[in-house]
Amino acid sequence: MTPTRPTWAEVSRNRLLHNYRLLRDLAGTQTELLAVIKANAYGHGLADCARILAAEGAHWLGVTSVEEGVALRRICPQARILVMAGIFPAEAEAVVEHRLTPVLWEPHHLDWLEHAVRRHGKTAAPFPLHLEIDTGMSRQGADPACLSQLLDRLGPASPLYLEAVMTHYHSPQNPEATHLQERALAAAAHAVASRGLQPQFLSAGSSAALLLPNADDSATLAKQISARRMLRTGIALYGYAPCSDSANLQPVLSWKTRVVSLREIDAGTAVGYDATFTAQRPTRLALLPAGYADGLSRLLSNRGSVLLRGQRGPIAGRISMDHTTVDVTNIPGVSIGDEVILIGQQGGEKITAADLAQLTGTIPYEVLCGIAARVPRILVD
Ligand SMILES: *Cc1c(COP(=O)(O)O)cnc(C)c1O
């Protein structure tokens, strides 16, 4: 059954395109821009975002699981698909079969992939992989001290081909921290080059590295090893800058619901679980069919607000699993069926995922990919 509950997210094709074009121009023709569409395109819907970006010329798409990669392959038969978080034991076959490009760093990753490539047999050409180096984030990636054992296995006799040397910056908004990571990356890249391996790409940097001037110098390092720089941008595609919002990015997702019930309560009346809100005056309350099971953080209880009739209505009382109540006493004319903005613009008012993140002590990434699967995503314009 198609969802009929009036809580939905609108995803703007034009805004996604605007952001992508802006980022591509910023990156320039010397840089390969990989569009990160992991986690259901940061909650925006993998299939629609992938189609739009691929049609606009995005050749490289990044996901974090083989499952997402396999789903994406059906949608984008031509794209290069980077699976950025390693592989699990049973996945190497699917990687080869669906021509996914894995980011790897463990010797056992190489074992599994070699085995699958040999079993598959069809691919005469060596199978490409991106090798991640841990340059200081201590999450994924090979310890630089163990790099040579991995490189031993990627010589001319290997069925595998080192297509990219990759790393991830932990604090891309901090040039000093990034510079330290770059030094480690440079050492690894030169170790690779000194073995006669010629990766086509040097892959480093996310949205922040693109938006902040001089955030990193991977372009220079790429030139030194005759590779092309690859930059992996995610959050900025969806309209959020990890640093400043000077870049003219446009938020792609709006999250909406409707007023489904209204009531008048007397001064002194409690609202919601634990009675955390008590009306101080005769109060008009609107009921919204959206709650924390939709991804509306319970931390917004008595803190956040929504937009109705172009004005801000404060959330009154605890957000429930499926419901939220809003004080609309100061907003004249609110009626059942009125459209309500949880994230987005109405009249001159605006609520962004960054605003909700600020109120709940997190980052816009978590707000966006926290919008539950049961909220339908609708492509607009
Ligand atoms: C998520 C991710 C990115 C994109 O980061 P943004 O800050 O969203 O641009 C890039 N590289 C890797 C490895 C990632 O996991």
Side-chain angles (χ1 to χ4, degrees):
M1 178 176 171
T2 51
T4 44
R5 193 178 58 121
T7 295
W8 70 101
E10 294 178 0
V11 173
S12 163
R13 176 199 307 270
N14 285 334
R15 288 173 165 230
L16 182 61
L17 284 173
H18 165 91
N19 296 334
Y20 177 68
R21 290 173 184 148
L22 192 147
L23 296 168
R24 195 175 51 191
D25 289 349
L26 261 180
T29 53
Q30 300 301 306
T31 296
E32 187 74 45
L33 195 65
L34 175 141
V36 180
I37 54 174
K38 62 189 178 189
N40 198 28
Y42 291 48
H44 292 63
L46 179 78
D48 283 335
C49 293
R51 275 194 201 99
I52 292 167
L53 292 166
E56 185 59 20
H59 183 54
W60 281 90
L61 302 170
V63 292
T64 31
S65 73
V66 169
E67 285 163 38
E68 286 175 326
V70 170
L72 182 54
R73 176 55 77 214
R74 283 191 211 110
I75 299 160
C76 297
Q78 307 298 333
R80 292 296 306 270
I81 299 175
L82 189 68
V83 178
M84 303 189 297
I87 54 174
F88 300 116
E91 294 183 332
E93 295 283 335
V95 165
V96 176
E97 186 185 333
H98 297 278
R99 294 170 288 117
L100 309 179
T101 307
V103 169
L104 305 180
W105 64 91
E106 298 282 0
H108 59 253
H109 289 155
L110 299 185
D111 296 341
W112 297 336
L113 190 63
E114 270 178 20
H115 189 75
V117 169
R118 293 212 162 96
R119 278 245 310 247
H120 207 258
K122 273 189 254 165
T123 41
F127 195 86
L129 67 89
H130 293 200
L131 184 66
E132 180 161 354
I133 315 293
D134 179 7
T135 57
M137 183 156 173
S138 315
R139 183 178 70 172
Q140 294 184 171
D143 179 344
C146 304
L147 183 60
S148 68
Q149 284 119 285
L150 291 168
L151 297 180
D152 284 345
R153 302 184 48 180
L154 296 171
S158 172
L160 309 179
Y161 152 63
L162 178 63
E163 186 180 33
V165 173
M166 182 249 197
T167 200
H168 197 41
Y169 300 136
H170 56 72
S171 310
Q173 67 290 357
N174 175 346
E176 275 165 43
T178 300
H179 184 64
L180 282 178
Q181 287 193 262
E182 268 182 323
R183 292 229 309 249
L185 178 64
H190 289 302
V192 166
S194 72
R195 296 207 170 207
L197 295 171
Q198 289 201 322
Q200 203 182 334
F201 298 104
L202 183 80
S203 175
S206 50
S207 298
L210 184 53
L211 295 171
L212 291 171
N214 310 317
D216 88 329
D217 200 22
S218 61
T220 307
L221 178 57
K223 258 192 216 124
Q224 285 170 9
I225 62 160
S226 307
R228 190 165 154 78
R229 178 196 194 205
M230 180 179 279
L231 212 146
R232 310 176 305 266
T233 179
I235 194 76
L237 283 172
Y238 309 102
Y240 291 89
C243 30
S244 71
D245 40 23
S246 57
N248 228 348
L249 298 165
Q250 297 177 354
V252 171
L253 180 143
S254 304
W255 190 8
K256 301 183 177 179
T257 184
R258 290 189 192 279
V259 174
V260 292
S261 181
L262 284 160
R263 73 199 56 238
E264 318 273 345
I265 58 171
D266 295 332
T269 308
V271 177
Y273 282 118
D274 303 325
T276 61
F277 181 94
T278 302
Q280 299 301 304
R281 52 175 181 174
T283 294
R284 191 157 195 246
L285 288 177
L287 181 68
L288 311 179
Y292 60 78
D294 296 290
L296 191 65
S297 172
R298 190 166 170 277
L299 298 172
L300 293 167
S301 301
N302 295 309
R303 301 187 77 181
S305 52
V306 304
L307 306 180
L308 281 124
R309 303 207 161 221
Q311 295 184 54
R312 248 163 225 277
I315 293 171
R318 286 256 201 273
I319 292 175
S320 309
M321 190 180 287
D322 303 285
H323 294 112
T324 298
T325 41
V326 176
D327 183 347
V328 297
T329 316
N330 291 343
I331 309 177
V334 172
S335 309
I336 289 179
D338 279 2
E339 189 169 287
V340 177
I341 304 292
L342 304 174
I343 293 176
Q345 257 175 297
Q346 200 184 57
E349 292 279 354
K350 182 166 86 170
I351 297 174
T352 67
D355 296 333
L356 300 192
Q358 175 110 52
L359 286 169
T360 56
T362 185
I363 50 178
Y365 301 68
E366 190 182 1
V367 172
L368 291 169
C369 65
I371 300 174
R374 74 183 199 183
V375 176
R377 272 64 170 178
I378 295 165
L379 193 62
V380 296
D381 61 38

